[in-house]
Amino acid sequence: MSLRSFLEQMGTKEEVLHVKDEVSTRFAISFIMKNFDVEGPILLFEKVKNCEAKVVANVCGTRKRICMALSINQNELYERLREAWRSPQKPKIVEDGAVKEVVERPDLAKIPVLTHFERDAGPYITSAVVYAKSVDGSVENVSVHRLQVLDSKHLAIRLVPRHLYKLWQVTKEVGKDLDISISIGCHPAVMLAASSPVPFGVNEFDVANALMGGGLRLVRCEHVDACAPAEAELVLEGKISASEEVVEGPFVDITGTYDVERKQPVVEVVGVMRRRDYVYQALLPSGAEHRLLMGLPREVLIWESVSKVVPKVGAVNLSMGGSGWLHAVISIEKQLDGDGKNALLAAFAAHPSLKHAVVVDSDVDVFNVSDVEWAVATRFQASEDLIIIGNVRGSTLDSSANQETGLTAKMGVDATRPLAKAKEKFERAKIPVSKRVEELVRKLPSV
Ligand SMILES: Cc1cc2nc3c(=O)[nH]c(=O)nc-3n(C[C@H](O)[C@H](O)[C@H](O)COP(=O)(O)O)c2cc1C
């Protein structure tokens, strides 16, 4: 199973839009990506200026496509992810794979890395799946990281203090650089697994393999002590420097605003493995794909946490307007007044970056902004149903927060109907309809 086989499958389902005109990696491709972002197709750029490789974008850009990649219905998604997190399966390591068709010396200038936004520091790799292991080999980790191209052999890697950062710190303490593989052009299950917040010690390649029903194969790298998907399009073999750091950025993150500039470690690229006709995978920062990959696994955490305090939780939506990260809408079946507020507290505990959350009843569609607003308009009283928590740790990506300390204010809105009032008062009025009129409406042309 590979990105390539998934693209073939999506081609037959008319999910791929081919862009045949020549386009430049500097702003032109990202502008087109932005224009097709929300619920848009996969984009395949066939002619890239000054480059032989094609560029594919927006692969995981819709929930529907992510579910198609996992061969599941949308209502099975959370359970499928939870199962893979709970029961990861080791993939087979094979001697050879399509990614080793060409093994060559690094020259990043040959790769169609995009420059996305006006004030970006330069070209950035944005779909990179980074693998590393601990000095003693007991811990393996895979996560997605942005990489700024510094020159033909060097990148700057953004390390949020999580698992890869921890591996880097420990390796640094023994005075060594950290070997990594940087895989570009992986199956969506690999992207989703690498974006998943599983505990330190769980290898996300094992999670990906579980999601793929045992369909992942890995190869060992040629120049570093790391492995990578055997059917990836392109793998950069690198070493995160123990000593060399540079100022990384400016660069646009998930909110669509520029992240603050920070000192981040340098990666030396020491080798390249690739398919002969590799396709480079692009991902638009702050686009729907970025938000879905980051947000979906957090929706699962929120769902799990709220399920512990409320008997029945429907859907969770880390909404696009909230950048797939800062705003959640959660539907519950409330048993007692107070359940709504407990649900809000559980959601904030599950996803520390969450800033605003709205809890609604199960008759409200969490994916429909108008429906949610209607619930707030008709079921919410600010003097009773609002929670505000000041000076709490949130996301440093939010420009309105303190971006150094991450301190912010959070707001929870309980828009469930109060049980003390008659249910009928909150009912949505219905119009009785016969089969004949239903059929008549179905046949009327849309204008
Ligand atoms: C498109 C995309 C870009 C990301 N960029 C970064 C990044 O530059 N640095 C980072 O630390 N995390 C980044 N993340 C988030 C991590 O990949 C994610 O939190 C992951 O679960 C962390 O892995 P870990 O639990 O093994 O630490 C990105 C995620 C996605 C989907």
Side-chain angles (χ1 to χ4, degrees), residues 126 141-146 158-160 162-163 194-197 204 283 290 293-294 298:
T126 49
N141 192 77
V142 184
S143 40
V144 182
H145 294 264
R146 69 184 189 224
R158 167 72 179 125
L159 294 182
V160 176
R162 281 188 54 83
H163 300 160
S195 313
S196 292
E204 287 86 350
L283 182 150
H290 189 180
L293 285 170
M294 291 267 294
R298 306 292 163 156

Side-chain angles (χ1 to χ4, degrees), residues 257-276:
T257 55
Y258 289 89
D259 195 0
V260 294
E261 293 166 48
R262 316 172 178 81
K263 280 209 151 178
Q264 293 291 292
V266 169
V267 177
E268 185 192 357
V269 182
V270 294
V272 171
M273 309 191 297
R274 64 172 173 88
R275 289 176 183 249
R276 198 159 290 115

Side-chain angles (χ1 to χ4, degrees), residues 24 39 42 50 74 77 125 132 140 151 175-176 197 229 245 356 369 385 402 422:
S24 152
E39 292 297 314
I42 294 173
N50 300 329
Q74 285 198 44
L77 183 57
I125 299 171
E140 296 176 277
D151 59 38
K176 286 190 171 165
E245 294 187 13
H356 298 145
V369 178
D385 304 321
N402 181 328

Side-chain angles (χ1 to χ4, degrees), residues 322-362:
S323 300
W325 198 241
L326 301 175
H327 286 179
V329 186
I330 305 144
S331 71
I332 62 168
E333 255 167 48
K334 180 168 146 178
Q335 311 285 310
L336 298 166
D337 276 325
D339 279 352
K341 283 191 180 136
N342 279 352
L344 289 168
L345 295 174
F348 287 128
H351 175 36
S353 291
L354 187 61
K355 185 179 174 191
H356 298 145
V358 181
V359 176
V360 294
D361 296 302
S362 55

Side-chain angles (χ1 to χ4, degrees), residues 77-239:
L77 183 57
Y78 294 174
E79 202 39 55
R80 190 83 182 83
L81 267 172
R82 294 176 75 212
E83 199 182 287
W85 294 352
R86 277 194 306 253
S87 315
Q89 296 169 24
K90 277 249 153 292
K92 266 202 190 116
I93 300 197
V94 292
E95 281 307 306
D96 204 3
V99 75
K100 289 198 174 188
E101 281 172 5
V102 177
V103 176
E104 61 188 3
R105 297 164 92 83
D107 182 1
L108 296 173
K110 281 193 190 155
I111 301 171
V113 185
L114 307 191
T115 304
H116 302 86
F117 291 94
E118 194 174 18
R119 287 205 283 122
D120 282 357
Y124 262 86
I125 299 171
T126 49
S127 66
V129 169
V130 180
Y131 165 95
K133 65 178 174 188
S134 58
V135 183
D136 65 2
S138 63
V139 172
E140 296 176 277
N141 192 77
V142 184
S143 40
V144 182
H145 294 264
R146 69 184 189 224
L147 295 141
Q148 179 184 347
V149 177
L150 301 174
D151 59 38
S152 64
K153 272 198 208 147
H154 295 92
L155 302 159
I157 184 165
R158 167 72 179 125
L159 294 182
V160 176
R162 281 188 54 83
H163 300 160
L164 181 60
Y165 176 86
K166 194 164 160 179
L167 291 178
W168 173 60
Q169 287 289 315
V170 173
T171 316
K172 220 165 103 156
E173 274 163 26
V174 296
K176 286 190 171 165
D177 296 340
L178 179 64
D179 283 8
I180 56 171
S181 67
I182 301 168
S183 304
I184 300 164
C186 298
H187 187 273
V190 176
M191 297 293 292
L192 197 56
S195 313
S196 292
V198 288
F200 187 64
V202 176
N203 179 348
E204 287 86 350
F205 277 155
D206 301 358
V207 173
N209 191 38
L211 283 175
M212 294 160 84
L216 182 66
R217 298 283 175 272
L218 302 177
V219 285
R220 290 186 210 287
C221 290
E222 295 285 321
H223 303 89
V224 292
D225 186 11
C227 54
E231 295 190 87
E233 292 292 320
L234 168 72
V235 172
L236 309 178
E237 303 177 75
K239 288 174 178 288

